[in-house]
Amino acid sequence: MRKLTGFFCLLICFLQTISSQNKFTISGFVRDSLNTENLIGASVYNKNNQRGTSTNIYGFYSLTLSGGDVDIIYSYVGYSTKQISFRLTKDTIINVNLSGTNLLQETVITGRRAEESQDKTQMSNISVPIAQVKALPAFLGEVDLIKVLQLMPGVQSGGEGTTGLYVRGGGPDQNLILLDGVPVYNVSHLFGFFSVFNADAINNVELIKGGFPARYGGRTSSVVDINMKEGNAKEFHGEGAIGLISAKLTLEGPIWKDHTSFIVSGRRTYVDLLAQPFINQMNEGNSEENISTGYYFYDLTAKINHRFSDKDRLYLSAYMGRDKFYLDDDFESYNEKSYNKSRIKWGNITSSLRWNRIFTNQLFGNTTVTYSRFLFNTGFDWKKYWYDDYSKKNNIESYQIDYNSSIEDWSGKISFDYIPSPDHYIRSGASVINHLFQPGITTFAESTMAIDTTMGASRLFTNEFDLYAEDDFNVTDKLRINAGVHWSGFSVKNEFFNYLQPRVTARYLLSNKLAVKASYARMAQYVHLLTNSGVSLPTDLWIPSTDALKPQLSDQVTLGLTNNFNKTYEASIEGYYKTMDNVIEYREGASFFNLDTKWENKILQGKGESYGMEIFGEKKKGKLTGWIGYTLSWTNRTFDLLNGGKTFPYKYDRRHDLSVVAIYQPSKRIELSGTWVFGSGNAITIPTAEFSGRTPFMPLDVDVDAKSYAERNSYRMAPYHRLDFGISFIKKTRWGERRWIIGLYNTYNRQNPFYIDVETREIFDPKTGETIEKNNFVQYSLFPIIPSVSYHFKF
């Protein structure tokens, strides 16, 4: 790592020496004036020559200009702008604090506009303000940023209420989800109905669907980059909520004012506590048996940051979350006693230690060490004791089954942002990740026969390497290009895979408001999620590439138009085409439950293809805000040993997908919100014929039940649509603010399909007067109309 740091510093020094000598640099940080949070992507530009830049994810900016009079405009959506005018004669550091505006107020920018969507080179990306995430209707009152991302064009959910992300034809394992730069491998609580991210602890979230910058790697479909809050360095504050199924509390404040701050946020469900009285009532009257069961999840997020100087800052952040289901059944009589304990538990741990340094006023560096782990465990313990006449234990029997699966990472990263002029923004970096895979180990112990054995895959160590360099530069005033290359390597056993992944995005201004954009990106992925369900189950296994399982690759081209209407309305249209190599599926008949089979023997690899069009329109200001997103897409898969080698629709191929989102604030005390979604039905495989009886190829005493299936995913469920509604009553108090939020999920009680099964029913035939058995397809729905109420507070 030290050699890499020296190499990059020498490279930067060389570039600096060729810079013009009569220019000076204005640099610093842009932050919120109340809580000192960094403002990510804030615009900084010189009104006089209309040259500018934007802040990075740490709020740092650097703007190099010719000497003379300058008028620097600082702006950020939802904040009042600030203008600083002076004569630039030397390198200058200016740290700026911006004040938030009322939601009903307009932010007016004089002179040339701040950098807007049509100005940026990046395409296929969406940044969602956390205030907007909190304003939208929430399932059971639980605010969920992943469900908000599902409302964006090109993004689909796996099914009713779930937090799965299927982006432009990709699977859930093809999304790089980062929390403060650390990959999160399982983002679901409650089998996918809630995500692990507590919105009260989040500062910023960005979704990238295509045109990937070279600094990202390791996945093939999308990047979800989530940054945690840093904590208020000036005053102590808190916020929390109490809902139908959970409560949460966030505290933040200074440890050393203006130097060290903290934030800690916790959340826990209490369904198990609410259900316990009913369980106890069931046990009444039964003196021999006691049953205890429950489910809960919790998560805890914490962060500390310390400013050593204007140039050095240290961050320590961590997340820990767990889900647990348990069922305990204890039985006791006068001569025997037994214990039956079942459990399913899973959870994530992530942590990062980051050091930021401003090496020069044009060079910003970041060094990070991270740790991440996802662990799943399920098991069953049984013990039984017989007592003799002297109340002594005798004939003790027991058995135990335990299953564990996990993935554990240690990584080190170093990155640099170098901004020699407004015409160039250069990024470079390197990282190394050590993966420890435990795809699935089962232990079984039995007392009477003295059995103690272990089955399944052994632990597997791998290493992943990354190098990247990119430049976002102006070719002319109208043409801007982001070009870069990402190299990655992966070592496992005696294999070493490596791929060079070029990335390029170009933006051309057709007018002051309208831009055309195009991009190409190749992505490589070395880890895979082996799943056989649309619901995010902890039994899904993370597995590495090996000599028997090749890395996944994708190539994506995108073309689009972006228009900004008077800073209030924004619209875009994009078309994309993506190919995917070495995507994975279970073999026919294979699943997680084949414990005696190695995971390498359960898998097939094939090809994928996705293409379509996305339309997005947004109103960003005024009493009424919101967006409309529409996707028209096709997604297919081809496997030599599935469906007879014929191409078939992906399970989540959805022809039409529409989202309408609205937030209306008629006054400072009331806020209304609503979402309506529509999607074509998911593709399914159904049986077309069934045979029961005996065949001449088997002994006469063997019965056979067999089904004949149509081509894979050749039928469709009914379309999905749903309306959610929410209303917030807001009141300022002497100690802060309180909100009562009332919500309705599935307002008009649509019976949306969750899955379809075949059932045999007896039907009376009036012609023959006989009752016959007939197979019917039966649709099962999950959620009817669900009201919710929650109380939120800030102090």
Side-chain angles (χ1 to χ4, degrees):
M1 187 67 71
R2 184 178 298 174
K3 291 182 179 179
L4 282 173
T5 303
F7 169 76
F8 283 115
C9 287
L10 287 173
L11 176 62
I12 297 305
C13 291
F14 170 74
L15 292 172
Q16 285 181 312
T17 59
I18 62 175
S19 299
S20 176
Q21 298 299 315
N22 61 345
K23 293 185 177 182
F24 305 100
T25 300
I26 306 168
S27 61
F29 292 87
V30 180
R31 300 188 175 103
D32 185 296
S33 61
L34 293 179
N35 57 27
T36 69
E37 288 287 345
N38 293 326
L39 298 182
I40 301 170
S43 177
V44 182
Y45 73 97
N46 181 21
K47 179 181 174 182
N48 292 346
N49 66 358
Q50 300 185 349
R51 310 304 296 273
T53 187
S54 59
T55 57
N56 65 10
I57 62 172
Y58 304 104
F60 175 77
Y61 74 93
S62 176
L63 182 60
T64 301
L65 302 167
S66 299
D69 294 332
V70 295
D71 292 297
I72 308 300
I73 305 292
Y74 298 86
S75 62
Y76 190 70
V77 175
Y79 286 75
S80 299
T81 60
K82 179 173 287 188
Q83 180 172 334
I84 299 177
S85 302
F86 63 100
R87 186 167 184 81
L88 182 62
T89 59
K90 62 180 181 179
D91 291 345
T92 306
I93 296 175
I94 303 177
N95 296 320
V96 174
N97 294 325
L98 298 182
S99 300
T101 61
N102 185 278
L103 292 176
L104 301 180
Q105 293 178 337
E106 299 287 338
T107 301
V108 179
I109 301 175
T110 58
R112 185 183 182 273
R113 65 190 183 282
E115 188 178 47
E116 296 168 349
S117 59
Q118 73 275 10
D119 295 307
K120 298 176 182 177
T121 316
Q122 180 66 51
M123 67 182 306
S124 303
N125 75 315
I126 298 173
S127 293
V128 184
I130 293 301
Q132 202 170 47
V133 172
K134 292 182 176 182
L136 294 180
F139 177 60
L140 290 175
E142 281 296 305
V143 175
D144 198 322
L145 65 90
I146 295 294
K147 284 190 172 66
V148 174
L149 295 180
Q150 292 173 350
L151 299 172
M152 301 301 172
V155 183
Q156 299 169 12
S157 65
E160 174 77 273
T162 64
T163 56
L165 290 179
Y166 296 80
V167 181
R168 290 185 172 177
D173 63 322
Q174 296 176 343
N175 306 307
L176 179 63
I177 300 179
L178 300 171
L179 180 63
D180 265 8
V182 187
V184 181
Y185 285 99
N186 186 291
V187 299
S188 300
H189 282 313
L190 191 58
F191 302 99
F193 295 117
F194 302 106
S195 80
V196 301
F197 303 112
N198 185 345
D200 290 347
I202 303 302
N203 180 27
N204 180 75
V205 57
E206 181 181 18
L207 168 68
I208 304 175
K209 302 174 292 181
F212 302 98
R215 58 187 178 274
Y216 294 109
R219 302 294 188 273
T220 56
S221 280
S222 79
V223 176
V224 180
D225 200 349
I226 302 168
N227 295 284
M228 292 168 51
K229 290 180 179 178
E230 296 182 359
N232 196 314
K234 294 183 177 294
E235 297 176 335
F236 179 80
H237 288 280
E239 62 179 305
I242 302 172
L244 293 179
I245 65 169
S246 70
K248 57 185 178 179
L249 179 64
T250 301
L251 302 174
E252 60 177 319
I255 298 175
W256 178 12
K257 190 173 182 180
D258 293 327
H259 288 83
T260 308
S261 64
F262 79 94
I263 181 170
V264 59
S265 183
R267 174 175 59 163
R268 191 194 191 278
T269 57
Y270 34 70
V271 177
D272 56 327
L273 304 179
L274 296 176
Q276 194 58 48
F278 299 99
I279 297 171
N280 294 338
Q281 189 175 11
M282 292 171 56
N283 290 327
E284 288 184 3
N286 188 349
S287 59
E288 294 184 341
E289 188 174 20
N290 181 55
I291 298 175
S292 176
T293 185
Y295 166 83
Y296 67 88
F297 71 76
Y298 71 86
D299 46 50
L300 180 67
T301 306
K303 189 172 185 177
I304 295 176
N305 77 91
H306 175 71
R307 180 170 62 86
F308 291 96
S309 67
D310 290 337
K311 292 187 176 182
D312 294 278
R313 197 158 190 162
L314 193 68
Y315 299 85
L316 176 62
S317 59
Y319 164 86
M320 180 176 64
R322 171 168 287 192
D323 290 64
K324 183 176 181 179
F325 169 80
Y326 59 92
L327 173 61
D328 298 341
D329 185 359
D330 299 340
F331 177 85
E332 184 173 10
S333 65
Y334 76 96
N335 67 341
E336 70 177 71
K337 187 174 185 179
S338 65
Y339 304 88
N340 298 276
K341 298 182 182 296
S342 303
R343 66 188 179 278
I344 303 175
K345 55 185 179 181
W346 66 96
N348 295 282
I349 294 176
T350 71
S351 59
S352 68
L353 179 64
R354 293 179 293 149
W355 168 48
N356 291 162
R357 177 165 178 79
I358 302 174
F359 291 96
T360 72
N361 49 24
Q362 296 177 336
L363 177 62
F364 181 90
N366 187 53
T367 304
T368 310
V369 178
T370 72
Y371 172 77
S372 176
R373 188 195 71 178
F374 169 68
L375 174 65
F376 166 69
N377 169 262
T378 183
F380 177 79
D381 298 331
W382 176 81
K383 290 184 179 180
K384 190 172 184 178
Y385 307 95
W386 281 272
Y387 292 86
D388 58 20
D389 294 336
Y390 300 98
S391 298
K392 293 182 179 180
K393 290 181 181 179
N394 193 15
N395 297 325
I396 301 173
E397 292 185 11
S398 68
Y399 66 84
Q400 180 183 42
I401 299 175
D402 201 61
Y403 176 87
N404 289 281
S405 175
S406 67
I407 178 172
E408 188 174 14
D409 291 351
W410 285 96
S411 76
K413 306 176 184 178
I414 186 168
S415 62
F416 296 95
D417 289 14
Y418 176 56
I419 312 105
S421 74
D423 291 328
H424 289 271
Y425 198 126
I426 301 170
R427 295 178 174 93
S428 60
S431 69
V432 58
I433 306 173
N434 175 259
H435 301 284
L436 171 58
F437 291 88
Q438 186 173 283
I441 294 178
T442 303
T443 59
F444 175 74
E446 203 275 339
S447 61
T448 58
M449 292 184 289
I451 298 174
D452 190 351
T453 185
T454 300
M455 300 178 293
S458 59
R459 290 152 57 102
L460 189 60
F461 291 90
T462 68
N463 290 291
E464 186 172 349
F465 310 92
D466 295 271
L467 285 171
Y468 72 86
E470 66 176 85
D471 187 10
D472 196 77
F473 60 96
N474 285 323
V475 179
T476 68
D477 288 341
K478 293 183 177 294
L479 178 61
R480 189 171 182 88
I481 294 176
N482 183 298
V485 64
H486 185 104
W487 173 86
S488 62
F490 190 79
S491 65
V492 52
K493 295 182 178 178
N494 296 322
E495 291 284 335
F496 183 75
F497 304 99
N498 73 100
Y499 295 95
L500 200 62
Q501 304 152 57
R503 321 276 177 81
V504 61
T505 303
R507 178 271 289 158
Y508 185 81
L509 286 173
L510 299 175
S511 69
N512 206 35
K513 301 288 185 180
L514 179 64
V516 59
K517 298 182 181 183
S519 69
Y520 164 77
R522 161 161 275 218
M523 307 288 282
Q525 177 172 333
Y526 304 101
V527 297
H528 317 266
L529 184 65
L530 190 56
T531 178
N532 58 350
S533 172
V535 181
S536 180
L537 296 174
T539 54
D540 298 342
L541 306 180
W542 283 99
I543 53 180
S545 297
T546 64
D547 55 351
L549 182 64
K550 304 303 180 186
Q552 297 184 52
L553 299 172
S554 75
D555 292 274
Q556 183 178 170
V557 292
T558 312
L559 179 66
L561 287 170
T562 302
N563 201 350
N564 191 295
F565 306 90
N566 300 321
K567 304 171 190 172
T568 300
Y569 298 93
E570 182 179 307
S572 65
I573 180 171
E574 291 186 3
Y576 69 91
Y577 179 77
K578 180 168 70 173
T579 60
M580 294 164 277
D581 293 325
N582 302 324
V583 293
I584 67 171
E585 286 277 0
Y586 272 114
R587 291 178 179 270
E588 293 285 9
S591 74
F592 154 78
F593 298 101
N594 304 126
L595 299 178
D596 59 339
T597 305
K598 291 185 177 180
W599 58 264
E600 294 99 325
N601 299 328
K602 303 178 185 180
I603 304 168
L604 294 174
Q605 288 196 283
K607 294 182 178 296
E609 179 187 51
S610 182
Y611 54 92
M613 176 186 68
E614 300 167 4
I615 299 174
F616 182 71
E618 182 181 16
K619 184 177 185 292
K620 300 186 289 186
K621 294 181 181 180
K623 292 185 177 182
L624 176 65
T625 59
W627 68 83
I628 298 176
Y630 170 72
T631 306
L632 173 67
S633 64
W634 289 261
T635 303
N636 300 310
R637 295 286 192 268
T638 306
F639 293 84
D640 291 340
L641 298 180
L642 291 180
N643 202 47
K646 298 178 182 178
T647 298
F648 59 88
Y650 185 43
K651 184 177 182 180
Y652 301 104
D653 169 56
R654 190 173 295 171
R655 194 68 63 244
H656 304 282
D657 196 90
L658 176 67
S659 300
V660 180
V661 178
I663 302 170
Y664 180 62
Q665 191 175 23
S667 70
K668 296 180 180 180
R669 302 192 63 176
I670 297 178
E671 188 174 74
L672 304 171
S673 63
T675 61
W676 184 76
V677 295
F678 173 89
S680 301
N682 284 341
I684 59 173
T685 306
I686 63 173
T688 56
E690 184 175 11
F691 171 81
S692 297
R694 294 177 177 147
T695 72
F697 304 105
M698 292 188 177
L700 294 179
D701 60 346
V702 176
D703 291 326
V704 176
D705 291 316
K707 292 179 180 179
S708 175
Y709 287 85
E711 289 192 2
R712 196 176 184 92
N713 295 341
S714 57
Y715 285 81
R716 296 275 178 175
M717 290 185 181
Y720 181 98
H721 53 87
R722 187 189 80 243
L723 174 67
D724 300 337
F725 175 77
I727 181 170
S728 299
F729 299 96
I730 309 162
K731 183 179 180 180
K732 299 292 183 181
T733 67
R734 56 184 176 79
W735 45 263
E737 177 187 284
R738 67 105 175 114
R739 287 182 182 231
W740 281 101
I741 301 179
I742 299 173
L744 278 178
Y745 180 88
N746 195 7
T747 304
Y748 51 80
N749 200 32
R750 161 74 173 174
Q751 298 301 299
N752 284 301
F754 185 66
Y755 74 95
I756 292 177
D757 198 7
V758 179
E759 291 187 357
T760 302
R761 295 182 177 179
E762 293 185 348
I763 298 177
F764 177 75
D765 188 346
K767 293 182 180 180
T768 62
E770 296 179 351
T771 300
I772 60 174
E773 291 186 346
K774 188 175 181 180
N775 290 335
N776 291 283
F777 292 104
V778 180
Q779 172 185 299
Y780 289 88
S781 300
L782 195 59
F783 296 123
I785 180 173
I786 300 178
S788 64
V789 60
S790 58
Y791 176 75
H792 298 245
F793 56 90
K794 291 183 179 180
F795 59 87

